[in-house]
Amino acid sequence: MLQLVDLRVKYGNIEVLHGINLEVKEGEIVTILGANGAGKSTTLLTISGLVKPASGAVYYHKTSLHKRPPHKVVEAGIAHVPEGRRIFGTLTVQENLNLGAFTCRDAGRIRKTQEWIYELFPVLAERRNQLAGTLSGGEQQMLAIGRGLMSHPKILLLDEPSLGLAPLLVKTIFQTIQEINQSGGVTIVLVEQNARAALKLAHRGYVLEVGNIVLEDTAQGLLANSDVQKAYLGGG
Ligand code: ATP
C-alpha cells in the first residue's frame, strides 16, 4: 500500500535519512522505533509531502507521492498527526475538527465521520464548544487525532501520540488507536518513544538508527529481540 524506496532526505547539506526502505500493507499498524534524532519524524514528514526527499521515492498504491504538495497527499488518503499536536488553541474543539475536513465537500460524510470521532473520544463531544487551548494535554492529543481522521484517511501517520501523557491516558490513547485500526479500517504508521506499548499494538516494526533502518520484524519478533530489549525496552 505504502512503500518508501531508497529514501534519502537532507536538511541543507546534512543527510538525515540515508536511503531507507519501508513498506506498509493495508490494514497494518506499523511502528517506527528509534532514539531521539534517528529520523522518525523526518520519515513521516517525507511521506506527507512536507519534506521533499533528495532522492528515492514514496509510493502509495504504486503512484508516487513524493512530488505532490502536502494537500494532495491528504487528498490521496494520508493524514499526519504531528508531534506536539499543533491544534488551534483559540478555536473550539468543533472548529478544529472542521479544519481537518478541508479535503471533503460531502456534508453527510463529514457529519458521519465527526459522529464516529465523538464516539471514539466522548470527552471531545462533551467539550465540543470549548476552546481547544483549555483542554488537557491528553484531550488535545485526542483532538489532534480526531482532526486527522476528519479527512477520512486510509493511512494515519501518528508522531509520538503518547508524548507527555499520564500512564492511564497513554493506555486510553493506545486502545483508541487500535479501535481506529480495527473497526475503522485505517492503516497506521506509529512513531513512538514508548516502544513497549507501540510493539504491543503493532503488527510489524522498523528500528531506525541515525538515518538507517537496522532491523525490521514482526512486533513479536522485535519484542523478543535482545538488542531491541537492551536499547528500547529497558531490559536485557
Ligand atoms: P525526535 O524523537 O527527537 O523527534 P526523530 O527520530 O523524530 O527524533 P527527526 O526529528 O526526524 O528525528 O530528526 C532527524 C535529524 O534531523 C536530527 O539530527 C535533527 O536534528 C535533524 N533535523 C530535524 N529537523 C530539522 C530541520 N528542520 N533542519 C535541520 N535539521 C533537522
Side-chain angles (χ1 to χ4, degrees):
M1 180 183 210
L2 182 72
Q3 243 181 332
L4 312 191
V5 182
D6 255 334
L7 198 70
R8 287 181 185 270
V9 176
K10 290 180 179 178
Y11 290 115
N13 287 328
I14 301 171
E15 188 175 273
V16 298
L17 292 181
H18 308 303
I20 63 166
N21 292 285
L22 185 152
E23 194 186 354
V24 181
K25 299 190 191 90
E26 192 154 7
E28 279 191 317
I29 300 179
V30 170
T31 185
I32 303 173
L33 306 178
N36 282 335
K40 304 179 301 297
S41 297
T42 301
T43 304
L44 296 191
L45 289 165
T46 311
I47 296 170
S48 59
L50 290 160
V51 167
K52 295 297 169 198
S55 65
V58 180
Y59 293 111
Y60 175 58
H61 290 303
K62 308 281 180 207
T63 65
S64 55
L65 281 188
H66 52 279
K67 294 189 184 105
R68 297 192 199 184
H71 70 277
K72 291 282 180 198
V73 176
V74 178
E75 276 176 20
I78 300 181
H80 186 171
V81 181
E83 188 178 340
R85 295 149 205 169
R86 313 268 171 89
I87 53 133
F88 295 92
T90 55
L91 300 180
T92 66
V93 166
Q94 181 67 61
E95 286 165 341
N96 270 276
L97 287 183
N98 292 346
L99 287 175
F102 75 96
T103 55
C104 187
R105 271 162 209 91
D106 178 343
R109 191 178 189 188
I110 292 175
R111 203 169 39 247
K112 257 188 140 163
T113 310
Q114 188 185 289
E115 276 165 22
W116 179 50
I117 291 162
Y118 282 145
E119 265 169 44
L120 287 170
F121 302 112
V123 67
L124 294 183
E126 286 164 26
R127 294 165 194 257
R128 66 176 79 199
N129 296 317
Q130 193 169 318
L131 291 184
T134 66
L135 299 178
S136 72
E139 289 159 357
Q140 291 189 8
Q141 184 61 60
M142 293 174 195
L143 180 57
I145 296 173
R147 187 181 55 190
L149 290 174
M150 285 297 283
S151 65
H152 227 275
K154 298 276 184 288
I155 303 180
L156 190 63
L157 310 175
L158 295 173
D159 198 347
E160 303 274 5
S162 78
L163 197 71
L165 303 186
L168 200 64
L169 260 177
V170 173
K171 213 174 154 198
T172 310
I173 292 273
F174 274 66
Q175 279 168 351
T176 313
I177 293 170
Q178 191 153 43
E179 203 179 329
I180 291 166
N181 173 251
Q182 285 180 355
S183 45
V186 181
T187 302
I188 287 170
V189 182
L190 175 65
V191 161
E192 254 300 329
Q193 291 277 323
N194 192 340
R196 189 179 300 276
L199 287 172
K200 281 188 184 155
L201 193 71
H203 301 100
R204 288 190 308 115
Y206 291 81
V207 177
L208 195 56
E209 277 178 10
V210 283
N212 291 298
I213 287 180
V214 294
L215 202 57
E216 67 170 283
D217 203 346
T218 60
Q220 274 177 335
L222 291 173
L223 276 168
N225 181 301
S226 60
D227 291 336
V228 174
Q229 288 174 357
K230 277 190 210 117
Y232 302 106
L233 303 173

